[in-house]
Amino acid sequence: MPDASPRPAGGAPAGPPDPRRWWALAVIGLAQLMVVLDATIVNIALPSAQLDLGMSDGNRQWVITAYSLAFGGLLLLGGRIADLIGRRRAFVIGLSGFALASGLGGAAGGPGMLFAARALQGVFAALLAPCALSLLATTFDAPRERAKAFGVFAAIASGGGAFGLIAGGLLTEYLNWRWCLYVNVAIAAVAVLGAFAFLRGTGRTGAKLDVPGAVLGCGGLVALVYGLSEAEPRGWSDALVIGLLAGGIVLLAAFGWWQTRASDPMLPPHIIGDRTRAGCLVTMALATIGLFALFLFMTYYFQLVLGYSPVRTGLAFLPMTLAIITGATQVSARFLDRLAPRSLIVPGLLLATVALVLLTRLTVDSSYATHVLPAMLVLGFGMGLVFMPVMSTATQGVARKDSGVTSATVNTAQQVGGAIGTALLNTIASTAATAYAASHLAEAARAAADGVPAATAERLLEAQGMVHGFGVALWWAAGIMLLAASTAAVLITAPAPAPRREPLGAAVATPDALAP
C-alpha cells in the first residue's frame, strides 16, 4: 500500500501509532541479529570447517571474505532496491534468500560450495540490512519511542557480534560447525512469519534504478572491500592491493560525479550533503574500526595467549555485550529524546578511547577479572552510548522514498570501517610483533642457556611478541576512536528534539506508521 498519509513537516505521524509496532520491532531486531551474527559466528567455527572440508590455509579466508565482499559491495544497491520494490517485500526476500544460502552452506561438501554460499548470504544480507534499519526509521516517529526502539536495535547491531562469538563457540563445541549456518534457517523462518503478521505496506516510490550509478557504486565498494581484505595476507605494498584500492577510489569518485548529474540518482547527494548526517557516517566508520579490531585481537588473545576454549572465549565477551545493551537501552534510549545526539556520542567515544588505552597494558599473564574485564565493560558501555544515537540521527528527517538507501549508507559506513580496521590494525599488529621477536632473540637464547627448554622459550617469545603487537595496534585504535569523538563534536550539530505537542481536538487519522 503506498504511503499516502499526510505528515507534518517535522516528520511526526499524522495519526496514532500502530499498536503492533513493538511486535514489528521484535521482527526487525531478529533479522538484524541474524545478519550481525553471521559476521562473527563463523569465525570460531572456521578451524573445524577447514579440517572437515580440506581447505588450505591460503583459501580459508574466503569463508569470511566472500561474505563481507558481497555484503559491503552491494549495500547501496540493496538499499535502493528496497526503496523501489517496497521494504516489506524486500525484507521477506532478503530473509528467505539468506535462509536458503545458509542451508546450502551448512550442507557444503567442499570448500567451493561453502564459499559460494557465504557470498550468496552476503548478497541477501545487503538487501536485508538496509530494510531492517529503514523499517525501524519509518515505524517509530515520536522522539521518545524512537529513542527506545533505536536503543534496542543499536544494542543488537553492536552487541550481536560478541553474541555471535558465544553462539559460534557453543554450536561448534557441542554440535557441529554446520549448525553455525543451519541456525539461520530457523531464525529466518520465524522472522518471515513475523513480517507477514506485523509489517504492512509495500512502499513503492515509482522511481527508476540508476544503472550507471549501481555499476560505479557497487564496483567501487567491491574493489575497496576486496582490497582491504587482501591487505591483511598480502601486505599493503602488494600490487593487487594497491590496484584494487586505487581502482575502488576512482570508481567511487566517478560514482559521486555521476550522482550529481543523474536524473534519478541511486544515492541522492542531499542525503550525504547534510552536515550532521555526514558526521554520523564518518563517526560510524571510525568507531567501527576500533571495535572490530578489538574483537579480532581479543579473540586471539583469549585463545592463543590465555589458552581459552571456543566457548570460554565467547563467554569472555558476554560482559561487554551486556554493557553495550545497558548503555544503549538504559542511557541512550532514555535521554536521546531530550539531549542533543553529540551529548551522548562524544562521551561514549571518549569512554571507548580510555578502555582501549587500558587494554594496551595487556601482558601474557594479565588477569581477566582485574585487567581485561574492567576495560571491556567501559568499552561496551561507551559503544552503547554511541551507536544508538548515530543510527537514529543518521536516518532521521529523510523522505520515505530515500530511507532504504540512507539506511544502506549507514550500514556501508559500518562495513567499510570494519574492513579497514581488520586490515589496517592487523597489519600494524603483525609488523610490531615481528619486530619485537627479532629484537628479543637474544633473551630467548639466554633463557635456553639457563636451562629453559628451547620450545618453551620460543613459545613465550611468540606470545610476548603477539601481545606487544596487540598493544601497538590498540594505541592506533585508541587514536582513531579519539578522532571519531572529535568528528562527532564538530560535525554532528543536530539539536535536542523539541517537545512534541498534540493540538487539542486534533482529528484522528488512519494509522500508517508501519507502511514503508
Side-chain angles (χ1 to χ4, degrees):
M1 177 175 72
D3 179 18
S5 58
R7 289 180 176 271
D18 192 293
R20 302 178 300 176
R21 63 195 181 282
W22 296 108
W23 284 107
L25 173 62
V27 173
I28 294 167
L30 189 62
Q32 178 67 14
L33 177 63
M34 185 178 67
V35 172
V36 176
L37 278 179
D38 254 66
T40 57
I41 194 172
V42 177
N43 289 17
I44 289 181
L46 186 54
S48 299
Q50 180 180 0
L51 182 63
D52 189 21
L53 299 180
M55 275 183 270
S56 67
D57 289 343
N59 286 335
R60 66 183 178 188
Q61 64 158 326
W62 281 101
V63 176
I64 308 300
T65 303
Y67 179 78
S68 62
L69 190 61
F71 186 24
L74 299 177
L75 269 166
L76 284 179
L77 180 61
R80 182 46 93 191
I81 289 174
D83 287 332
L84 297 181
I85 70 173
R87 282 172 285 282
R88 190 184 73 169
R89 180 177 289 109
F91 188 76
V92 171
I93 293 173
L95 284 169
S96 303
F98 199 95
L100 175 63
S102 299
L104 290 174
M113 184 174 177
L114 180 58
F115 300 156
R118 289 286 287 168
L120 194 59
Q121 278 186 311
V123 170
F124 286 105
L127 179 62
L128 182 58
C131 289
L133 186 54
S134 62
L135 281 168
L136 187 72
T138 54
T139 296
F140 294 91
D141 294 284
R144 185 176 295 275
E145 288 195 348
R146 183 181 178 88
K148 291 179 181 178
F150 270 88
V152 173
F153 188 86
I156 293 171
S158 53
F163 184 73
L165 297 172
I166 300 172
L170 291 170
L171 291 170
T172 301
E173 190 158 328
Y174 295 112
L175 290 174
N176 185 285
W177 68 267
R178 297 178 185 275
W179 283 96
C180 292
L181 295 165
Y182 286 145
V183 69
N184 293 322
V185 178
I187 295 175
V190 174
V192 166
L193 293 176
F196 283 117
F198 302 116
L199 302 180
R200 291 172 42 204
T202 62
R204 290 182 179 179
T205 63
K208 297 179 180 179
L209 183 63
D210 174 19
V211 176
V215 172
L216 292 172
C218 294
L221 286 173
V222 166
L224 188 63
V225 174
Y226 185 28
L228 290 169
S229 66
E230 287 294 302
E232 181 183 345
R234 293 174 176 268
W236 291 95
S237 59
D238 183 81
L240 176 64
V241 173
I242 293 173
L244 286 168
L245 295 178
I249 292 172
V250 169
L251 287 173
L252 290 176
F255 170 75
W257 171 83
W258 173 254
Q259 295 307 282
T260 64
R261 288 158 175 77
S263 59
D264 200 352
M266 189 169 84
L267 178 60
H270 67 267
I271 290 178
I272 57 176
D274 177 80
R275 174 174 174 168
T276 289
R277 187 170 297 110
C280 287
L281 295 174
V282 175
T283 299
M284 172 67 82
L286 293 173
T288 308
I289 289 176
L291 186 62
F292 273 53
L294 178 92
F295 282 143
L296 177 68
F297 296 149
M298 295 310 297
T299 298
Y300 281 124
Y301 180 75
F302 289 142
Q303 294 197 39
L304 300 184
V305 179
L306 299 185
Y308 285 8
S309 68
V311 172
R312 191 177 180 187
T313 297
L315 292 175
F317 283 101
L318 182 59
M320 187 176 76
T321 304
L322 297 177
I324 290 173
I325 293 172
T326 301
T329 62
Q330 301 305 310
V331 179
S332 289
R334 292 177 182 271
F335 292 100
L336 185 60
D337 66 328
R338 65 189 76 171
L339 295 175
R342 66 179 173 185
S343 299
L344 294 166
I345 297 170
V346 174
L349 290 168
L350 293 177
L351 284 174
T353 302
V354 170
L356 291 171
V357 170
L358 290 175
L359 288 172
T360 62
R361 300 172 58 245
L362 286 175
T363 65
V364 293
D365 54 0
S366 291
S367 167
Y368 175 83
T370 60
H371 193 168
V372 179
L373 180 59
M376 294 185 75
L377 288 174
V378 172
L379 180 71
F381 185 77
M383 288 293 97
L385 297 183
V386 172
F387 283 123
M388 179 266 175
V390 164
M391 290 180 178
S392 177
T393 305
T395 56
Q396 197 161 22
V398 178
R400 288 200 168 201
K401 65 184 180 67
D402 292 327
S403 66
V405 74
T406 304
S407 303
T409 308
V410 176
N411 279 281
T412 300
Q414 187 177 25
Q415 184 69 17
V416 172
I420 292 173
T422 301
L424 173 63
L425 296 180
N426 193 58
T427 301
I428 291 172
S430 299
T431 302
T434 301
Y436 181 92
S439 64
H440 288 74
L441 284 175
E443 294 180 12
R446 283 196 298 270
D450 291 338
V452 178
T456 301
E458 289 176 4
R459 283 196 300 268
L460 179 60
L461 178 61
E462 182 181 0
Q464 290 173 337
M466 185 183 299
V467 173
H468 172 75
F470 293 165
V472 172
L474 286 170
W475 273 113
W476 279 85
I480 293 170
M481 199 70 76
L482 187 60
L483 178 61
S486 303
T487 301
V490 173
L491 295 182
I492 301 179
T493 57
R500 192 178 179 196
R501 301 179 184 275
E502 296 291 345
L504 294 176
V508 178
T510 302
D512 193 26
L514 290 180

